[in-house]
């Protein structure tokens, strides 16, 4: 069982960091009042407005921000400003023992998937896959339901995902229970063969992605298949695959056809269509928390991610 971070309270301070690419500063500023409305104080990381090519500062600067926020006793939680690329570049230099001694809410998705996997494995802590400040909260299309999902940080409650959120498609029926792990498919694939290879044995695997054509999703799923991820998992939750239409390769298989090729013959529940990922609304989930996927009832139930 992974350790649960303490719940946030009104008046707590959250640290804002940019672990990957430079966030849009205008959107970031527009997002900060949302946190203040939640009753939170804000502490910005030193490299949040830095730029080093396609990175938000050097690896050393971004790593220092991550460490500083976990070490700072005045900071109760950490929320990522945005994703992009670059979190994996310093994952092998993170002080996981220090993070384990200072468990805190850690929230983000997309490129942050690599940090979720690493922190879950080596600091044994539940983290949160949810919308980020500049990437999502600060944009006009940010959905009220996405905003409400931050409530799980303040009060421990079970999450219940049903078709009330959006239609779901069962590829394989049945029921599975286990820790919910995963996130962005590209980042899961990129860790295969490294010390940050995602452990899915007996767990429910979540996958989502953006801007990947069906043939690219096919390629990544094939690598996971050959790495025996689908043989080891207890169940599979397919989140949102935004902008997955074919561009370079036409004619193309549809994304549903690709999913069917890889999942329909499995003996574990597989459900497609969850609004988890680069989408609105974005249903936020605690990674590492115990979950129950019911392919017959089309429901996903997840235990609280905070204590």
């Amino acid at each position: 069982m992974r350790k649960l971070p303490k719940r946030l309270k009104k008046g707590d301070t959250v640290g804002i960091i940019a672990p990957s690419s430079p966030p849009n500063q205008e959107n970031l500023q527009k997002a900060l009042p949302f946190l203040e409305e939640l009753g939170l104080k804000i502490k910005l990381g030193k490299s949040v407005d830095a730029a080093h090519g396609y990175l938000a500062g050097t690896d050393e600067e971004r790593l220092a921000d991550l460490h500083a926020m976990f070490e700072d006793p005045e900071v109760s939680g950490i929320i990522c400003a945005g994703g992009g690329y670059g979190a994996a570049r310093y994952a092998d230099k993170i002080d996981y023992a220090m993070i384990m001694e200072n468990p805190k809410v850690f929230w983000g998705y997309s490129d942050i998937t690599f940090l979720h996997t690493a922190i879950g494995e080596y600091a044994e802590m539940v983290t949160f896959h949810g919308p980020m400040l500049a990437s999502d909260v600060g944009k006009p299309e940010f959905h009220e339901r996405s905003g409400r999902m931050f409530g799980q940080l303040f009060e421990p409650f079970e999450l219940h995902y049903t078709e009330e959120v959006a239609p779901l498609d069962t590829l394989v029926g049945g029921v599975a229970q286990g820790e919910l792990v995963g996130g962005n498919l590209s980042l899961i694939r990129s860790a295969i063969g490294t010390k940050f290879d995602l452990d899915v044995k007996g767990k429910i695997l979540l996958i989502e992605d953006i801007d990947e054509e069906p043939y690219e999703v096919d390629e990544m799923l094939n690598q996971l298949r050959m790495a025996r991820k689908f043989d080891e998992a207890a169940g599979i939750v397919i989140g949102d695959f935004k902008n997955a239409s074919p561009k370079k390769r036409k004619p193309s298989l549809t994304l549903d056809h690709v999913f069917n090729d890889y999942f329909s013959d499995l003996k574990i529940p597989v459900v497609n269509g969850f609004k988890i990922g680069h989408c609105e609304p974005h249903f936020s989930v605690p990674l590492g928390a115990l979950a129950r996927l019911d392919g017959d009832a089309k429901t996903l139930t997840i235990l609280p991610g905070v204590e």
Side-chain angles (χ1 to χ4, degrees), residues 212-214 241-248:
E212 302 288 354
E213 292 190 45
F241 277 73
K242 187 176 183 179
N243 299 338
S245 57
K247 305 171 192 72
K248 288 183 289 187

Side-chain angles (χ1 to χ4, degrees), residues 168-237:
L168 295 170
D169 178 30
T170 296
L171 277 66
V172 186
V175 178
Q177 296 188 94
E179 287 183 9
L180 181 68
V181 298
N184 187 266
L185 179 59
S186 302
L187 276 298
I188 296 169
R189 193 274 293 269
S190 74
I192 290 176
T194 74
K195 65 180 282 188
F196 302 104
D197 197 342
L198 180 64
D199 176 14
V200 301
K201 192 169 186 180
K203 300 176 182 179
I204 296 173
L205 172 63
L206 162 67
I207 57 171
E208 63 85 28
D209 220 313
I210 183 172
D211 293 333
E212 302 288 354
E213 292 190 45
Y215 85 91
E216 293 169 314
V217 175
D218 188 322
E219 178 191 18
M220 290 188 281
L221 292 178
N222 193 49
Q223 189 166 354
L224 264 64
R225 178 187 68 84
M226 292 196 293
R228 303 185 63 83
K229 299 300 182 189
F230 305 145
D231 296 335
E232 298 172 348
I236 297 174
V237 169

